Amino acid sequence: MKKGILLVVSAPSAGGKGTILKELFRQDGNLRMSVSATTRQPRPGEENGKDYYFMSREEFQELVAGGRMLEHAEYVGNCYGTPREPVEEWLAQGLDVVLEIDVQGGAQIKRLAPDCVSVFITPPSMEVLEKRLRDRGTEDDETVRKRLAAAREELPHAEDYDYIVVNDRLEDAVEDMLAILRSEKRKYVRNPGFVQQVLNR
Ligand code: 5GP
């Protein structure tokens, strides 16, 4: 069985990755989403086991100590990590797995699994990002400023990623993601022995 692709997706906050991923999952049945563990409090509407595995710092540290996290990082005062087991099982089954993680986690995965594919989703401009944040209307001025500042810090990390996807028109961004997966699957190194099979037929 051919191993699945490990797809790392990072984006600055409010980069719109949620909407893109939702549509991507609707269109590609071979994808699975890794559910992260976190020590932060659930936001209204978030479900344990679906959005995150919410846990105490002690529980989190125990998982890390037991080698049960593929990567982990601290982000704005909370711990976040990727549980190892489901990711390894899905990949072994030939399913492609998405890790929606921050740039620190992305760097760890790239070292651990150099054959992963990393995508950085960026807004088309800071102006558009600011407008989206304001139009959402859920954030006050101070929060909007903080998120914009965070985005300015995160964006330069795009240089460590394999691909950049601009979140301008949703359909284009989703199409780009599908195209990335498709061409990655056609890479020679991901198809060892294929030519030999052809010769044997
Ligand atoms: P939020 O608290 O807004 O859900 O997520 C904050 C940040 O943590 C986002 O950049 C998100 O991508 C990142 N994040 C979520 N899960 C993980 C994880 O398992 N590992 C790492 N390194 N970052 C994560």
Side-chain angles (χ1 to χ4, degrees):
M1 162 76 77
K2 208 167 93 181
K3 251 189 89 185
I5 289 178
L6 186 57
L7 187 68
V8 173
V9 179
S10 302
S13 43
K17 68 189 157 196
T19 324
I20 295 174
L21 290 177
K22 207 169 148 200
E23 187 56 23
L24 182 68
F25 274 83
R26 208 180 60 77
Q27 294 193 30
D28 185 341
N30 200 50
L31 279 176
R32 293 294 178 276
M33 185 77 178
S34 157
V35 178
S36 296
T38 185
T39 61
R40 87 150 157 73
Q41 291 299 312
R43 295 188 186 121
E46 280 184 337
E47 278 177 49
N48 189 36
K50 185 166 170 271
D51 299 287
Y52 280 106
Y53 293 105
F54 296 100
M55 57 184 66
S56 67
R57 208 163 252 268
E58 292 69 38
E59 287 171 303
F60 190 95
Q61 293 306 346
E62 225 165 86
L63 291 177
V64 173
R68 296 181 59 197
M69 294 289 198
L70 213 47
E71 60 76 39
H72 62 98
E74 186 136 347
Y75 186 93
V76 206
N78 286 301
C79 303
Y80 294 83
T82 305
R84 177 188 298 276
E85 208 178 309
V87 175
E88 291 183 343
E89 268 177 24
W90 282 327
L91 290 176
Q93 288 167 20
L95 295 160
D96 303 323
V97 182
V98 175
L99 307 185
E100 194 256 271
I101 59 181
D102 80 327
V103 293
Q104 309 170 68
Q108 290 177 49
I109 295 292
K110 202 75 195 170
R111 279 196 297 275
L112 192 79
D115 66 341
C116 75
V117 180
S118 59
V119 178
F120 194 92
I121 298 179
T122 161
S125 67
M126 293 307 286
E127 200 185 339
V128 168
L129 181 63
E130 181 165 1
K131 186 171 179 321
R132 281 186 192 151
L133 280 167
R134 295 202 186 280
D135 286 354
R136 225 161 47 175
T138 51
E139 267 97 12
D140 54 31
D141 267 8
E142 175 61 14
T143 312
V144 169
R145 263 200 303 280
K146 271 193 191 153
R147 283 183 176 243
L148 284 171
R152 278 188 198 285
E153 272 183 26
E154 286 161 329
L155 273 161
H157 289 279
E159 74 172 2
D160 302 323
Y161 284 68
D162 299 319
Y163 296 96
I164 288 178
V165 168
V166 180
N167 181 18
D168 199 352
R169 278 183 66 230
L170 174 65
E171 307 88 273
D172 293 343
V174 173
E175 206 176 285
D176 283 352
M177 299 288 287
L178 290 168
I180 289 166
L181 276 168
R182 208 178 152 127
S183 40
E184 282 292 332
K185 283 182 190 182
R186 297 271 58 84
K187 277 193 171 161
Y188 187 89
V189 291
R190 294 197 194 275
N191 297 276
F194 183 80
V195 172
Q196 197 54 51
Q197 282 173 32
V198 172
L199 286 168
N200 292 342
R201 265 180 220 142

